[in-house]
């Protein structure tokens, strides 16, 4: 149930201190960057519009004003083609603007939060639960009631306590 008059885009522009994202899927290929993903699969260079995506401006502006944008991706190896693309082209690009990334690798262990959906958490007060179809297409975001906050804070805290910084994980497992 959506309880916020703000859209996800509004929240990404208007949060005060921090924006946390949990990613749980192996494939978001139908949700944006489709041309860049095709180029990646074909072994072509990154398209210029991917290198200079609007998200970099959003992140850079937030970080320069003292805000934090960070995320944890829960994944297992071997990586899907999409994850190889997202991590090597997306995460590494976004880090240049100041976004922080962490990996919770479940290759040799159980997922500690298997029921957690993809979500954004803004200023530890607004929860945007994201919905995708089975092919990785983004369907929308529902902003949840405050009664859900403790559960989503626990998801974030568990993910962060068991994740490693992306750069450290990439140095060991990146391609």
């Amino acid at each position: 149930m959506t309880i916020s008059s703000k859209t996800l885009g509004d929240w990404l522009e208007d949060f005060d201190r921090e924006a946390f994202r949990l990613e749980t899927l192996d494939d978001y290929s139908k949700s944006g960057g489709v041309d860049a993903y095709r180029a990646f699969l074909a072994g072509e260079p990154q398209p210029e519009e991917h290198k200079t995506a609007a998200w970099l401006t959003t992140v850079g502006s937030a970080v320069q004003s003292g805000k934090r944008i960070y995320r944890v991706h829960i994944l297992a190896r071997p990586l899907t083609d999409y994850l190889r693309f997202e991590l090597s082209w997306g995460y590494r690009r976004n880090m240049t603007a100041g976004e922080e990334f962490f990996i919770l690798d479940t290759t040799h262990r159980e997922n500690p939060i298997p029921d957690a959906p993809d979500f954004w958490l803004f200023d530890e007060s607004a929860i945007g639960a994201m919905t995708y179809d089975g092919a990785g297409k983004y369907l929308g975001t529902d902003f949840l009631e405050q009664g859900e906050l403790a559960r989503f804070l626990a998801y974030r805290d568990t993910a962060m306590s068991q994740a490693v910084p992306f750069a450290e994980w990439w140095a060991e497992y990146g391609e």
Side-chain angles (χ1 to χ4, degrees):
M1 170 205 302
T2 298
I3 61 156
S4 176
S5 61
K6 291 182 179 182
T7 66
L8 180 58
D10 294 337
W11 277 106
L12 288 165
E13 294 288 335
D14 295 339
F15 67 96
D16 293 323
R17 295 176 322 282
E18 67 176 46
F20 170 80
R21 169 87 159 94
L22 183 70
E23 293 180 306
T24 64
L25 302 179
D26 291 335
D27 187 349
Y28 298 92
S29 62
K30 304 292 189 266
S31 294
V34 175
D35 291 337
Y37 182 48
R38 281 192 211 127
F40 174 83
L41 291 175
E44 299 170 356
Q46 286 189 47
E48 198 58 39
E49 62 272 10
H50 181 74
K51 290 182 188 178
T52 59
W55 180 244
L56 296 174
T57 301
T58 300
V59 171
S61 296
V63 170
Q64 288 174 6
S65 69
K67 300 175 185 181
R68 182 182 190 200
I69 299 179
Y70 63 117
R71 66 178 79 196
V72 171
H73 200 132
I74 301 172
L75 56 76
R77 294 173 276 115
L79 299 178
T80 63
D81 286 341
Y82 183 82
L83 285 177
R84 289 179 28 258
F85 159 72
E86 181 181 51
L87 301 179
S88 65
W89 280 19
Y91 282 17
R92 293 170 63 204
R93 174 200 65 191
N94 295 359
M95 288 172 64
T96 66
E99 188 170 2
E100 300 172 50
F101 296 94
F102 301 86
I103 302 295
L104 198 165
D105 191 331
T106 60
T107 302
H108 299 295
R109 63 178 169 162
E110 292 293 317
N111 180 346
I113 48 175
D115 58 334
D118 274 48
F119 67 91
W120 278 99
L121 178 62
F122 298 99
D123 298 324
E124 297 186 336
S125 63
I127 311 151
M130 304 176 79
T131 307
Y132 294 86
D133 71 10
K137 180 180 179 185
Y138 173 68
L139 301 176
T141 300
D142 289 325
F143 284 88
L144 307 180
E145 297 180 7
Q146 290 294 302
E148 298 288 331
L149 187 57
R151 181 166 60 109
F152 282 80
L153 287 169
Y155 288 151
R156 182 210 51 199
D157 294 347
T158 299
M160 286 298 295
S161 72
Q162 297 189 37
V164 297
F166 170 71
E168 178 182 316
W169 183 89
W170 188 256
E172 186 168 349
Y173 302 109
E175 302 172 11

